[in-house]
Amino acid sequence: MPPTLLARTETQVVDLDIENLGLQMTVPSAPVTSSAIIAALSPFLMWFLAAAIAWFVVDRLLIRPLRRLRTTVGAYQPGEVIDPVAGSDIPAQEIRALGDTFRELSRTVQLHERDLAEGLSRQTKLTREVHHRVKNNLQVIASLINFHARVAAEPGALEAYASIQRRVDALAVVHRHHYAGFEDTRGIEIRAVIGELASNIRATAPQGNAVGILLNIEPLLVSQDAAVAISFLITEIVELAMQASPGPQINISTQTDPATPESATLRISSAALADSSEFAALYEHRYGRVIGGLVRQLRSHLHHDPMIGAFELAVAITGRT
């Protein structure tokens, strides 16, 4: 007989109903042997081994390949080709198919990136060509105006040609600065534009009407549309001042407010812009409509102080240099 473990007995008592007599019987119970313990623990041991084998298989065939694939896809940069099985082989066919799908997608993106780069290069060349032709056309227009101005004999004709020349110069200045930085989307530096515009106005001022322009412009950036409207607006107001009262100095300045960082105040002031009969007639019959249209283009409101002769309006800015 094999040795017993934890041997025990069982006792059974039966009442005989005779003078309070009873029958008691004690018998040994079935012994708990090592074979019984092993038989009882075998299912748990098999479950544990099955779970360990399943975890090992899932980890080797599914979790690790998925983790490696996630790392590869996470490090992907547009223009590259995803290689999910670099350096090792993936045993799971499904993971391999998923990796091949990512590889094909990355190749498609690479081809699209190449096509976009080529299209952008062609568009940039076309834009440069358009800018170059517009600049040449503006130079031709300016040359024609200068040619006709030289042969004009009447002072009124000379003044008209000079007025046209100033407007062409205003457009040319903005176009030149836009062409110089058209690949930079931040905007056009308004200080350089107004500075060059003031130099052109001084150069084309009529004889005997030397205009003095004092600038105090902050280094601000504006959009191309705003720069064109601002240039024409300054040209119109400066010419209005020159026509109303030749001689007084013209001050052009900008001022920003931290409370409204998306806009700046443009101020043009001169004694010639103060209220007078000459100013009122010129503004009402010649310059007022043009100035009003430019202000509407800037989506702003123009304020005129007739006592000190100052125009102010808020212009949208895109940043600072």
Side-chain angles (χ1 to χ4, degrees):
M1 294 291 292
T4 61
L5 297 175
L6 302 177
R8 58 192 179 90
T9 59
E10 294 184 359
T11 302
Q12 183 71 31
V13 178
V14 178
D15 188 7
L16 299 177
D17 294 330
I18 302 175
E19 297 295 335
N20 295 326
L21 294 178
L23 177 63
Q24 178 178 347
M25 181 174 58
T26 301
V27 296
S29 62
V32 180
T33 64
S34 58
S35 300
I37 296 176
I38 294 175
L41 294 178
S42 337
F44 299 99
L45 181 61
M46 287 188 294
W47 292 340
F48 175 78
L49 291 177
I53 294 173
W55 176 86
F56 178 80
V57 172
V58 171
D59 180 69
R60 298 289 296 182
L61 299 184
L62 183 63
I63 297 178
R64 288 188 182 182
L66 282 176
R67 188 182 295 117
R68 186 164 55 248
L69 181 61
R70 183 189 63 181
T71 303
T72 304
V73 174
Y76 167 74
Q77 296 294 331
E80 300 177 353
V81 176
I82 297 177
D83 188 7
V85 292
S88 63
D89 203 8
I90 298 176
Q93 184 64 30
E94 293 78 5
I95 306 300
R96 185 190 300 275
L98 182 61
D100 293 340
T101 302
F102 278 117
R103 184 188 295 111
E104 293 301 323
L105 287 175
S106 63
R107 286 176 180 171
T108 303
V109 172
Q110 185 183 47
L111 293 177
H112 288 175
E113 289 283 336
R114 188 179 305 164
D115 293 340
L116 287 175
E118 293 177 356
L120 180 60
S121 178
R122 289 193 300 269
Q123 185 65 33
T124 302
K125 292 178 181 179
L126 290 175
T127 305
R128 286 199 182 107
E129 181 64 21
V130 169
H131 278 292
H132 182 68
R133 294 190 179 187
V134 171
K135 182 181 68 173
N136 291 342
N137 292 336
L138 291 174
Q139 289 176 350
V140 170
I141 294 173
S143 299
L144 290 174
I145 294 173
N146 289 331
F147 175 77
H148 288 284
R150 291 193 192 101
V151 299
E154 297 181 1
L158 289 173
E159 185 178 343
Y161 281 125
S163 178
I164 297 172
Q165 182 67 56
R166 283 189 287 271
R167 287 156 178 80
V168 174
D169 288 341
L171 181 60
V173 166
V174 175
H175 178 77
R176 183 161 54 253
H177 282 273
H178 177 64
Y179 173 73
F182 78 95
E183 295 180 357
D184 187 1
T185 59
R186 294 192 306 160
I188 298 177
E189 186 180 358
I190 195 63
R191 181 165 63 179
V193 171
I194 296 178
E196 189 172 348
L197 183 63
S199 299
N200 292 338
I201 292 175
R202 294 190 193 99
T204 58
Q207 294 182 357
N209 188 11
V211 58
I213 301 178
L214 180 63
L215 301 179
N216 184 17
I217 309 298
E218 298 182 24
L220 304 175
L221 297 173
V222 298
S223 64
Q224 182 190 6
D225 294 337
V228 173
I230 291 172
S231 299
F232 281 126
L233 180 63
I234 292 175
T235 302
E236 294 293 332
I237 294 178
V238 170
E239 185 168 322
L240 171 60
M242 293 166 56
Q243 294 291 331
S245 179
Q249 179 174 276
I250 301 172
N251 300 316
I252 304 175
S253 63
T254 59
Q255 184 177 3
T256 56
D257 186 357
T260 56
E262 70 282 355
S263 65
T265 301
L266 175 65
R267 177 183 174 89
I268 307 171
S269 61
S270 175
L273 298 175
D275 193 14
S276 64
S277 58
E278 293 82 1
F279 171 83
L282 289 170
Y283 189 81
E284 181 178 356
H285 299 291
R286 182 173 177 182
Y287 294 96
R289 181 176 297 181
V290 177
I291 292 175
L294 294 171
V295 172
R296 286 192 297 272
Q297 184 176 345
L298 289 170
R299 298 179 180 179
S300 183
H301 177 71
L302 183 65
H303 173 69
H304 177 229
D305 189 342
M307 300 299 296
I308 61 176
F311 284 98
E312 289 185 355
L313 77 159
V315 295
I317 62 176
T318 60
R320 302 177 67 94
T321 58

